[in-house]
Amino acid sequence: MPAYRPEEIEKKWQAHWKAHSTFRAQNHSDKPKYYVLDMFPYPSGAGLHVGHPLGYIASDIVTRYKRLQGFNVLHPMGFDSFGLPAEQYAIQTGQHPALTTEKNIDTYIKQLSSLGFSYDWEREIRTSDASYYKWTQWIFLKLFNSWYNLDTDRAEPLTALTARFAERGSEGINAAGDADERQVFTAGQWQLFNEHQKLAAVHPYRLAYQQDTYVNWCAGLGTVLSNDEVKDGVSERGGYPVERRLMPQWNLRITAYADRLLQGLDTIDWPDAVKEMQRNWIGRSIGAEVTFPVKDHENAQIKVYTTRVDTIYGATFLVLAPEHELVDTLTTPEQRAAVDEYIAATKRRSERDRMADTKTVSGVFTGAYGLNPVNNEPVQIWLADYVLAGYGTGAVMAVPSGDQRDYVFAQHFGLPIPAISDAQQGLEKQADPTKEGRYINSGIINGLTYKEATTKLIAFLEEKGLGRGKVNFRLRDSIFGRQRYWGEPIPIYYKDGTAYGIAESDLPLVLPEIDEYKPTETGEPPLGRAQNWLYRDQYPYELSTMPGWAGSSWYYLRYMDPTNEARFVSEEAEQYWGTVDLYMGGAEHATGHLLYARFWYLFLKDLGLVSGNEPFQKLINQGMILGRSNFVYRLNLTYSQPDEIGKSQKANGPLVFVSKGIYEQLSSNENPYEVLKDKKGVVRTRLREIVGKLAKPVGNSGSTASALFGSPLLTPIHADVNIVENDVLDIDAFKKWRDEYEGAEFILEDNGTYVCGVEIEKMSKSKYNVVSPDVLIGKYGADALRLYEMFLGPLEQYKPWNTNGISGVGTFLKKFWRLFHPEDGPLAVTDEPANPVELKALHRAIQKVKEDIEKFSFNTSVSMFMITVNELTALNCHKRAVLEPLVLLLSPYAPHLAEELWQELGHEAGSISSAGYPEFREEYLVEDTVTYPIAINGKVREQLQFAAAATASEIETAVLGSDFLTRFGEGKAAKKVIVVPGRMVNVVV
């Protein structure tokens, strides 16, 4: 039998698994089910680097472990294949996004398959396939045709709402959303409404609705961007300017589910950090909505929401978002120019930038005054970009004595800061938000405590019709439309300017072919380029497409029943698989995908279409694998070249790189130039050789070239880590890597090598520290890569990558192979019974690995495998009774090697997944004897062995019957003997 050759074994078993559909999950089984899900990958053109498979390897280990335990496991894979990157590439190259997406997916599938993941590929889905997004559009139509009934606390079909309108009009309807946007009408008026009027009255109740909304508009990309896609006022992709713009947008009323989304977090096994991020994002608060009339504007009112209504007497000014609807009305002629300039500047900043910038103080006075509703005192109305139109009411009452941001603003603009509590301290330096003490300078609540004041003020405001107690959320409705091409078309058409959902029987609404993938010349989205794209040949379609998160909000359900043409998932399949048991993915999706997926699931639950309460029961966030960057050190050099008469002229110097040891020598020297000027020094001598070789004397002057040094003296430059091994640079490969390095010169270490510098950074193409799994699989095998990624450290932690370490794992796998094939010879497994020492090694491994997988502590399992193989190698153990269970134990981690050895042991090819997990037997770990430290008066003098089953009295008798006291007792008799079973013996004299 030849030596262990992973390149042959792994291709063999990957082909076998594919041909035999080894990992196909059954929708009907007597086995218990277990659903393992990986987060939907977006297939980028760059493919996978070694950081990407970390979570996939971990989930695959759990998947294979659960199969061995007798579970029917669903472990699917698919692709989140709509998105902006593919569209931008299409704009640049003219290729249809579907073509580049298909190519990228093929690359991903090849790479994922080469790692031996046990996916049920027959269930693969792609969000850009019309057969999939038909159902994404179907769910949108369900949202469009539903409202949220606060009385029943769930979504209901709009038919139930319109039936109530027909019976008693709009009176008594308790629905999620802004009541101020809705019409008031009687049942009789409803009956007289025409179709257009009825739809207009219903629209503000819909869970999917259209509304003028402030968005991040990027003219350079021709689309709306999410806050995540904007950084420092420009688009993350392309760096184009982004401005806040009011545009008609489709929204989903996620705010209706805010309370339920909060409550559900208490029922799921997720990382505390992720749950806390969602709680903060939802931001539930109990407070009051207060109305401030506007002086000299009879019909103008400013509504604010506050959690500290008790501080209202200290509200010395109001702050509006620059986008607030009343700004134009309130701004006085004297302030118009300043206000317009401020608004223009604000448009260039994203919401995220405005929220994050807590240091800059900016604002502008409108010239108008509000009236404090509790004392009718005038308060100035200002604009400031730290107030956002989409949060709350877009206005805040500023209480500078109780809020630090208001305090800084008031100080900056010279506004009053009155104390409102006798417990406030240090107001000359900062705000004091205390709720202690009693109120002062506060009218009707003077002398009251916080609780008393809050109750009295809310009652007063409600009585006067100027406010009410209210629960509020930071969470806002989700903007759903994108002005892009490569996304799901929104299944809406327009008749006489009114939005209608297309008939479900007409789904899917397929993306039309267009000539270019950028907005039209008139500013319409790319779909505006489609020719004769009309619903039933007469009504124009909505030109926006859905955001990237639409398809990923329900994909886990489609995996249950991916080819069903009649339903998004059959009732039987959904009820069998239920919810995801284990979800592996990144924490960066906490307030995006994970929140939206929960929202969609709760909505489908309300319609009776799913049977669980939460989509993902357990979530694990794998940490990031950081890149290990290598650096070369460029010497910034020119040289002095003499002309024909000997006059010195400067010329561009040769490209010279110094090795790490020389870099450190120069960097640590107070005057590195002196080192380089030392004519006897190695570096100086080498430089003279380099310069002399490239710069020849001119004429008869006899002068030669000499080196000149630039500033900075040395510059670290990233080198491709794939041409570096153990930090030693392959100089020939480096010269071929980039054209400008072809003639480079190198100053080496004393041993003749070029040693690179090292730094741990994020793995990125720009840092040339990306390592392709394909290269490592080709060199060491997929099983070695799987084990090594797990061995790097705890799954949830960030870990630096070091390619050098994988060779050790490769050596371990060879040693494992040689337990079966000593000296790489033929199979030498015997049927001899195992001895206690061998069984102890085996069962200690079974116990440890099982516990580790259950705790998702995979790195310590790999350590245990190595320890066990070393022990069995030392014991020269080749016994089936030990090695066969060990193969099963290793199979989730190194499945290709395990399949090969399992077949060699006489089992059916490819059957290891259906074998049982090795049974742990504790009796093999029980020691026959125990070594006891024996002490006199607490000081250990020697150690004695006793049978493990020996009783305390037997041990005491044996100690006293020995010569222990004679040798160590100094002639004293024993007063007492204390025996701690299994631990120690102490003789008191």
Side-chain angles (χ1 to χ4, degrees), residues 650-868:
K650 288 185 180 179
N652 290 329
L655 197 57
V656 179
F657 295 97
V658 304
S659 187
K660 180 184 177 184
I662 298 162
Y663 168 76
E664 290 175 343
Q665 177 189 352
L666 294 173
S667 300
S668 62
N669 197 291
E670 289 185 8
N671 189 355
Y673 295 98
E674 293 300 320
V675 177
L676 292 170
K677 290 176 182 176
D678 178 8
K679 293 183 179 181
K680 296 180 181 180
V682 174
V683 179
R684 180 65 176 177
T685 303
R686 178 74 179 110
L687 279 175
R688 287 173 64 84
E689 291 175 4
I690 293 168
V691 175
K693 182 168 60 176
L694 298 178
K696 303 299 182 185
V698 178
N700 299 315
S701 68
S703 300
T704 57
S706 60
L708 302 172
F709 306 107
S711 181
L713 180 62
L714 294 159
T715 301
I717 298 174
H718 283 94
D720 186 350
V721 296
N722 295 291
I723 56 176
V724 179
E725 185 167 355
N726 290 320
D727 298 331
V728 175
L729 180 70
D730 182 335
I731 293 175
D732 290 336
F734 182 78
K735 289 181 176 182
K736 295 174 184 176
W737 175 42
R738 292 166 64 171
D739 291 343
E740 63 264 36
Y741 297 156
E742 184 178 359
E745 297 284 347
F746 298 85
I747 301 179
L748 308 176
E749 304 287 339
D750 291 341
N751 62 4
T753 63
Y754 187 99
V755 178
C756 295
V758 177
E759 189 172 325
I760 303 303
E761 304 178 286
K762 182 178 180 181
M763 200 169 279
S764 165
K765 287 190 295 182
S766 66
K767 302 179 188 302
Y768 302 105
N769 62 0
V770 169
V771 180
S772 168
D774 304 354
V775 173
L776 296 178
I777 290 171
K779 190 171 183 179
Y780 299 100
D783 285 343
L785 180 57
R786 289 169 63 110
L787 280 164
Y788 183 55
E789 292 219 7
M790 293 299 97
F791 188 53
L792 285 173
L795 179 63
E796 293 92 343
Q797 292 183 9
Y798 280 41
K799 299 167 281 289
W801 177 263
N802 186 352
T803 299
N804 303 331
I806 194 172
S807 60
V809 176
T811 300
F812 156 73
L813 290 172
K814 290 175 184 176
K815 289 183 73 173
F816 192 94
W817 174 265
R818 289 169 186 151
L819 289 174
F820 300 78
H821 296 274
E823 299 181 359
D824 293 331
L827 186 71
V829 176
T830 71
D831 290 324
E832 293 179 67
N835 63 43
V837 178
E838 294 164 337
L839 289 171
K840 179 181 178 181
L842 170 66
H843 284 269
R844 188 170 61 236
I846 293 172
Q847 180 188 40
K848 174 65 174 167
V849 172
K850 184 176 187 297
E851 289 176 353
D852 285 347
I853 294 180
E854 297 283 358
K855 295 186 299 185
F856 307 99
S857 179
F858 306 108
N859 59 312
T860 49
S861 284
V862 178
S863 298
M864 176 52 68
F865 286 132
M866 293 176 174
I867 292 168
T868 304

Side-chain angles (χ1 to χ4, degrees), residues 10-68:
E10 291 173 1
K11 288 179 181 176
K12 167 187 171 180
W13 288 107
Q14 287 164 16
H16 179 95
W17 296 332
K18 182 177 180 180
H20 293 83
S21 299
T22 302
F23 308 117
R24 178 193 292 147
Q26 302 297 328
N27 278 3
H28 303 283
S29 174
D30 294 332
K31 297 179 179 179
K33 71 92 182 179
Y34 196 81
Y35 186 174
V36 181
L37 184 66
D38 291 315
M39 277 197 181
F40 229 8
Y42 175 81
S44 71
L48 298 173
H49 61 61
V50 293
H52 292 129
L54 180 68
Y56 300 156
I57 296 168
S59 64
D60 195 61
I61 289 170
V62 175
T63 296
R64 290 175 177 275
Y65 167 72
K66 287 294 184 179
R67 289 197 189 100
L68 289 172

Side-chain angles (χ1 to χ4, degrees), residues 196-216:
H196 178 83
Q197 290 171 319
K198 285 184 176 179
L199 289 173
V202 166
H203 193 78
Y205 292 85
R206 295 183 188 273
L207 289 182
Y209 64 95
Q210 199 174 36
Q211 185 181 63
D212 285 347
T213 306
Y214 277 97
V215 295
N216 298 314

Side-chain angles (χ1 to χ4, degrees), residues 39 125 360 388 489 507 515 781:
M39 277 197 181
I125 57 177
T360 305
L388 304 175
L507 295 176
D515 57 352

